[in-house]
Amino acid sequence: MTPTQDLEVQQKRELEKKAEATIPARIFVPHTDIFETENALTVVMEMPGVNQEHADITVEDNVLSVAGRIDFSKYEKMQPVYTEYIVGHYRRSFNLSPNNFDEHKISAEMRDGVLTLTLPKAERAKLRRIPLT
Amino acid sequence: MALGFADPVDALFRFQRALDQRLDSDWLEDTTSGVGAFPPINVFRQGNDFLAIIEMPGVNKDDLTLEVRGNAIRISGKKAIDYGGSASVHRRERVAGSFDRTITLPVQLDPDRVTAEYRDGVLAFSLARAESDKPKAIKIN
């Protein structure tokens, strides 16, 4: 996509927790794009401030979960004078179609605060064209 | 209030509350700067100087231009998203486009000492204050 329009600020969405957390800190939901090609499903998540070591990706019972931790120790002893956004960890999960993906072949790449997950489709889940008669 | 993180358990919570309290504070009030343009900015005091931290995930360093003039900083560039032609979309929440924001600060800057670092989609803009603008201690005779 070529950038044509002016960018606007997207407000961060806070995670709605299913169970109450033991720590009162606020957690945010990363803005996510998901798209599909013939061979794979790709999940792209924006987690500014999270580096490769602090992104945790799991697939369990067909649920893809991503957690991103920010390093806020560098903010230590800094005094905010003007703020427009809140800093916090990220978390989001998606239900995957059962048995559609090869869990062991999922790959992840982190670049400029954007996590790209590639989930290769299992052989049985690949496209079957339906002929029109 | 200076922040210290003695207790790590609720340190993040206290930090978030400190950020919350300064949301759209009147620090920029007497300047021409507006609130809410992209990219969003947080400003911290570091001794006599300031540090601006700006979130812009997905922006490539090469597409980013920074300028400093007097008491203003300008951040411009573009954020591109390209998934190739054959992709079929399930969910689209990220936005792409160009941006150009000028922030006029209530302090004069020293352009030669201003530095910036971009990492993990976060720009840290170290805003060194001009020598003439720094507070001076006055000796009482």
Side-chain angles (χ1 to χ4, degrees):
Chain A
M1 198 195 303
T2 48
T4 46
Q5 88 271 30
D6 283 339
L7 260 181
E8 284 175 20
V9 176
Q10 286 182 291
Q11 292 306 322
K12 285 191 182 178
R13 189 152 65 90
E14 223 175 303
L15 185 75
E16 288 168 30
K17 299 181 185 104
K18 291 193 182 86
E20 223 169 312
T22 51
I23 296 167
R26 287 151 77 174
I27 295 169
F28 296 99
V29 177
H31 292 120
T32 304
D33 282 356
I34 301 178
F35 61 91
E36 185 178 343
T37 57
E38 202 173 320
N39 297 314
L41 189 76
T42 304
V43 178
V44 184
M45 292 181 162
E46 292 188 343
M47 300 193 290
V50 177
N51 67 17
Q52 195 130 16
E53 290 80 53
H54 292 122
D56 196 19
I57 304 139
T58 57
V59 180
E60 202 179 350
D61 298 333
N62 297 308
V63 176
L64 169 73
S65 300
V66 174
R69 279 181 299 120
I70 51 129
D71 173 17
F72 67 97
S73 67
K74 56 187 156 201
Y75 288 104
E76 198 164 351
K77 302 226 164 69
M78 290 209 300
Q79 180 191 0
V81 291
Y82 173 83
T83 62
E84 291 181 350
Y85 66 90
I86 308 292
V87 174
H89 301 314
Y90 301 92
R91 196 184 300 161
R92 194 163 190 179
S93 35
F94 293 101
N95 291 319
L96 302 173
S97 313
N99 307 319
N100 267 8
F101 302 99
D102 203 331
E103 290 176 18
H104 302 287
K105 288 187 186 159
I106 295 174
S107 63
E109 193 204 341
M110 196 89 195
R111 192 187 161 88
D112 296 331
V114 178
L115 175 72
T116 303
L117 294 173
T118 306
L119 293 80
K121 289 182 194 172
E123 208 51 51
R124 57 183 293 278
K126 282 192 182 159
L127 171 91
R128 187 172 62 92
R129 278 217 168 72
I130 298 149
L132 285 171
T133 51
Chain B
M1 179 193 62
L3 294 165
F5 295 145
D7 179 3
V9 176
D10 65 2
L12 179 57
F13 178 59
R14 286 194 288 126
F15 174 54
Q16 289 179 337
R17 209 166 42 186
L19 290 174
D20 217 8
Q21 280 165 357
R22 305 307 292 168
L23 267 187
D24 301 334
S25 77
D26 56 8
W27 192 66
L28 293 177
E29 200 176 49
D30 294 335
T31 70
T32 54
S33 297
V35 167
F38 187 94
I41 179 172
N42 283 348
V43 183
F44 299 86
R45 187 192 299 275
Q46 261 190 332
N48 280 331
D49 296 328
F50 292 95
L51 181 70
I53 300 190
I54 300 148
E55 284 191 345
M56 43 174 104
V59 174
N60 189 307
K61 199 175 174 177
D62 298 332
D63 293 331
L64 191 58
T65 307
L66 306 175
E67 287 173 22
V68 181
R69 183 168 19 89
N71 59 346
I73 56 173
R74 182 179 178 183
I75 302 155
S76 60
K78 67 176 163 66
K79 171 176 164 182
I81 295 177
D82 185 10
Y83 296 137
S86 61
S88 166
V89 174
H90 285 229
R91 187 184 281 265
R92 188 188 295 266
E93 296 170 0
R94 302 177 63 215
V95 291
S98 55
F99 55 91
D100 191 338
R101 182 174 186 189
T102 293
I103 299 151
T104 306
L105 304 167
V107 291
Q108 289 291 323
L109 302 173
D110 180 353
D112 296 329
R113 290 196 301 126
V114 169
T115 57
E117 187 186 317
Y118 182 66
R119 187 181 295 168
D120 302 326
V122 177
L123 175 72
F125 213 149
S126 175
L127 305 169
R129 213 157 156 183
E131 213 50 56
S132 60
D133 203 53
K134 281 187 182 166
K136 299 259 182 330
I138 291 158
K139 210 173 127 199
I140 302 166
N141 291 310

